[in-house]
Amino acid sequence: MSFDLVLFGGTGDLTWRKLMPALFQAFRHGSLPKDGRILGVGRDPLDNAQYRALIQSRFDKVELAKRPSTDEFERFAALLHYLPMDLSRPADYARLAETLNARQAKTVVMYLATAPALFTGICENMAAVGLNGPQTRVVLEKPLGHDLASNRAINEAVLRVLPENQIFRIDHYLGKPSVQNLFALRFGNSLFEPLWRRETIANIQITIAEELGVEKRGAFYDNTGALRDMVQNHALQLLCAIGMEPPINAHADAIRDEKLKVLRSLKTWTPETLKQHVVRGQYASGSINGEAVPGYLQESGVNPDSHTETFVALRTEIANWRWAGVPFYIRTGKRLADRDAHIEVNFRPTPHAIFKTPLGPGNRLVINLQPKDGLELHLLAQGQDNRLGARAASQTLAPVQLDLDFDKRFGAERVGAYERLLLDVIDGRLNLFVRSDEQEEAWRWVEPILDAWKNDSNGPRPYAAGTWGPSASSGMIARDNYCWSEEC
C-alpha cells in the first residue's frame, strides 16, 4: 500500500525521540507497508542527504536495542525525505501539495508533531491547497488545548476541514501492550469480567510515577502542569479502559461510546470534595539514586514563584450500577521515588475468614505498564512452614504471586506504543485514538480542579525529590482505610 507520512516538526524532539525510532522498528519488523515515503517538514534549510544524516546522528541517543546498524539505516534512509517549510506561509503549503500530488499515494498521513497553537493554522492551510481529501489522515499530538474552551476551538477548526473519521488524536498510553492486554483480559476471557464490579472490588489505584524532573522542558511544563500533562489524558484513558462496559463489538465507535459513558459518569466536583479528594504538590530539592537534584523552582525555564503542580493525587468514583461506591485513586508526579506506572485492582476480602491471613493487601491484580510490562495476580495460599507445626500451618495462609512478564513471553514479537499507533494510522484503524467528545468530556471534568487552584493562594504542597509525594496523598487514601501499594 502506497503512503506518504508527513512529519510537521520533522527536526523536533518528538520526531527523533519517539517517531523515527518507532518507524524504524516497524521497518525492521517488516510491518511498515513497502511503498512508503516519510517526509520531514521543518524550518531548517536541509536537503534530503542532510536530513538523513541528522536523523542518523539522533539514533545514537536512543536505547541500544532500537539503534539501526549502518546497513539497516542505509535501507531505512531511502524512505526519508525533507521539505523546508515556514508553517505560517501559505505559499509553502502549495509546494507541499505539489510534492504530494506528484506521487499520488493511496494514503497521506499528516502528523502534527508541533505546538498545539499551530494545529488550526496548519489544517486551514492544508485545506486551502486541497490536502484534505478522503485519502488524508491528520494525527494530533497532546496536549490538545489547555482547557475546555481551547480544546473545543481546536476540534471545531479541524472538523471544519476534515471529518471525524480522518482525525487521529493520539494518546500513546493506549498503544502500550499492557493496555491492549487489559482489553483482552476483560473482554477476551470469561475469568475476570464476572468479578469486575462493586460487589468484589474494593478500590482501584492508577499510578504514573517518574523519577525524572522537567529536564529541558521547564518553560513548557510551567504552563502545563501534571494535571493537564498526565491526568486529563493518560490517566483518564486508563480509568476508562478499566471502568467501561463491554462494547457490542471491537469497532472504534463501539469502544469509544463506552469510554465516553465512563467520563460522563464520573462524580462531579463540589467545594468539599475538591478540598478533601485532590492533592497537588511540587517537588523540592532532594536525592534520586543517591544523587542530589534541584527543586522545581530551581529548574531552567521555570518561574521562581511558580505554583505549577508537578504532582497530583485524587479520588473519584464512577456513579453507575457497576461501580457505585468503589473509589478510584489516581496519582502522578515527577521526581518521585521510582519510575513506575501500574494499575492495581484490589479485591474485597472473603466474607467469612476460616484461615489466619497476614496483614496487608490481599487478593489483587496488578497491571504493570512501565518499566515492567505484564500482569501480576496476588493470592493467598497455604504455607508449609514446619516451625508452625502441622495443624497451625494448615490454618495459615501466605501471599503468593502469579507473574506474567510480557517481554519474556513474547520477546521479539513485542510492538512499542508509537509503532503500533503509527501503523494503525496508516491502516486507518481508529480503535486506539480519542474522539473529540471524549476529550471535551475529560476537560469538562478536570476544569473545576483548575478553577479551584486559581483561587487557592496556598499553592502546591512541597515534597522532597525521591519520595512518593506530599504526605497529604497518603492521608487522602487513608481516610477510606486504604493505602498506596508501597505503604501497605
Side-chain angles (χ1 to χ4, degrees):
M1 179 187 73
S2 63
F3 74 90
D4 278 331
L5 171 56
V6 182
L7 298 175
F8 290 87
T11 59
D13 185 67
L14 177 65
T15 294
W16 71 260
R17 277 195 312 110
K18 298 292 185 182
L19 303 183
M20 282 298 180
L23 289 165
F24 170 69
Q25 290 304 311
F27 174 80
R28 174 184 271 176
H29 296 154
S31 51
L32 196 67
K34 299 294 182 185
D35 190 11
R37 176 174 63 172
I38 301 167
L39 180 62
V41 166
R43 281 180 172 270
D44 299 295
L46 307 175
D47 59 24
N48 289 342
Q50 291 170 321
Y51 184 59
R52 290 163 183 165
L54 173 68
I55 297 302
Q56 185 174 24
S57 70
R58 297 298 194 192
F59 269 109
D60 292 338
K61 298 182 180 180
V62 304
E63 59 184 277
L64 187 61
K66 294 183 179 180
R67 294 181 198 171
S69 65
T70 301
D71 177 64
E72 284 178 320
F73 185 80
E74 186 176 329
R75 289 185 284 114
F76 175 66
L79 304 178
L80 303 183
H81 301 263
Y82 186 78
L83 181 67
M85 277 185 67
D86 181 341
L87 298 182
S88 65
R89 294 184 68 243
D92 284 7
Y93 290 86
R95 291 175 47 236
L96 175 62
E98 183 181 347
T99 301
L100 296 175
N101 292 337
R103 190 162 178 267
Q104 292 292 311
K106 182 179 179 181
T107 299
V108 177
V109 175
M110 306 287 195
Y111 199 118
L112 275 55
T114 66
L118 300 176
F119 289 175
T120 298
I122 292 173
C123 290
E124 289 173 347
N125 280 301
M126 282 169 38
V129 295
L131 289 178
N132 60 332
Q135 81 281 10
T136 299
R137 294 160 192 160
V138 169
V139 183
L140 303 178
E141 263 288 347
K142 78 166 186 77
L144 212 63
H146 60 273
D147 56 15
L148 177 59
S150 58
N151 174 261
R152 187 175 284 156
I154 292 172
N155 278 326
E156 288 174 352
V158 178
L159 285 165
R160 281 196 292 270
V161 300
L162 285 168
E164 180 69 48
N165 64 359
Q166 290 175 239
I167 303 170
F168 291 70
R169 299 171 190 83
I170 196 166
D171 186 326
H172 72 271
Y173 264 69
L174 292 179
K176 287 182 176 291
S178 291
V179 178
Q180 297 309 297
N181 275 292
L182 172 58
F183 287 108
L185 178 82
R186 289 196 58 194
F187 307 133
N189 298 279
S190 61
L191 183 62
F192 283 105
E193 191 58 25
L195 306 176
W196 215 257
R197 57 191 65 252
R198 63 183 302 275
E199 290 83 1
T200 49
I201 291 178
N203 69 85
I204 294 176
Q205 302 176 17
I206 299 171
T207 294
I208 307 174
E210 299 178 274
E211 284 183 322
L212 292 175
V214 295
E215 304 304 297
K216 298 178 181 178
R217 300 167 67 235
F220 162 79
Y221 195 90
D222 208 36
N223 290 309
T224 305
L227 188 71
R228 291 184 176 96
D229 192 42
M230 299 298 290
V231 176
Q232 183 273 332
N233 39 71
H234 299 329
L236 285 186
Q237 284 295 317
L238 294 176
L239 186 148
C240 287
I242 299 164
M244 64 187 279
E245 294 296 322
I248 58 172
N249 54 43
H251 294 161
D253 277 334
I255 294 170
R256 299 194 290 186
D257 285 346
E258 296 303 333
K259 289 197 293 174
L260 180 62
K261 291 177 185 176
V262 173
L263 293 168
R264 287 177 173 168
S265 300
L266 290 175
K267 275 196 170 182
T268 55
W269 296 105
T270 67
E272 188 63 26
T273 58
L274 285 167
K275 289 178 182 177
Q276 290 191 350
H277 296 161
V278 181
V279 176
R280 63 169 169 161
Q282 185 185 88
Y283 66 83
S285 59
S287 175
I288 300 287
N289 296 322
E291 293 187 11
V293 295
Y296 177 73
L297 298 179
Q298 287 75 54
E299 299 280 16
S300 175
V302 172
N303 182 339
D305 297 319
S306 174
H307 278 189
T308 298
E309 79 287 354
T310 63
F311 175 94
V312 177
L314 60 84
R315 177 198 191 277
T316 188
E317 293 181 25
I318 300 173
N320 63 18
W321 276 33
R322 180 186 287 263
W323 295 112
V326 176
F328 285 71
Y329 304 102
I330 293 172
R331 64 172 172 171
T332 182
K334 291 187 173 295
R335 287 294 189 211
L336 297 181
D338 199 5
R339 177 175 178 257
D340 180 25
H342 68 268
I343 302 164
E344 185 172 299
V345 180
N346 289 293
F347 292 92
R348 297 188 185 279
T350 55
H352 176 63
I354 62 172
F355 296 102
K356 294 179 181 178
T357 57
L359 295 175
N363 298 150
R364 56 196 170 109
L365 175 68
V366 180
I367 301 141
N368 290 307
L369 304 174
Q370 67 180 29
K372 189 178 177 181
D373 184 8
L375 302 173
E376 299 172 13
L377 182 60
H378 295 257
L379 306 168
L380 296 173
Q382 193 174 105
Q384 298 294 326
D385 191 341
N386 293 327
R387 294 172 299 175
L388 299 175
R391 181 175 178 179
S394 69
Q395 295 176 345
T396 302
L397 302 185
V400 295
Q401 178 179 323
L402 302 177
D403 192 347
L404 172 58
D405 187 318
F406 289 147
D407 285 327
K408 291 179 181 177
R409 170 59 183 84
F410 297 109
E413 303 169 37
R414 307 291 282 145
V415 175
Y418 270 104
E419 180 183 351
R420 168 71 184 269
L421 294 171
L422 285 164
L423 292 173
D424 279 0
V425 177
I426 293 169
D427 287 341
R429 293 191 295 266
L430 282 157
N431 299 48
L432 302 181
F433 296 85
V434 183
R435 205 166 57 192
S436 60
D437 51 3
E438 284 183 77
Q439 275 194 335
E440 290 187 14
E441 200 61 47
W443 275 115
R444 186 176 290 110
W445 185 76
V446 160
E447 203 157 60
I449 304 175
L450 294 170
D451 291 341
W453 288 349
K454 287 178 188 175
N455 300 316
D456 179 11
S457 59
N458 294 323
R461 300 168 186 266
Y463 63 94
T467 66
W468 280 105
S471 59
S473 168
S474 300
M476 178 193 71
I477 194 170
R479 280 196 291 270
D480 294 331
N481 293 317
Y482 299 128
C483 54
W484 298 110
S485 55
E486 76 280 354
E487 297 173 338
C488 291

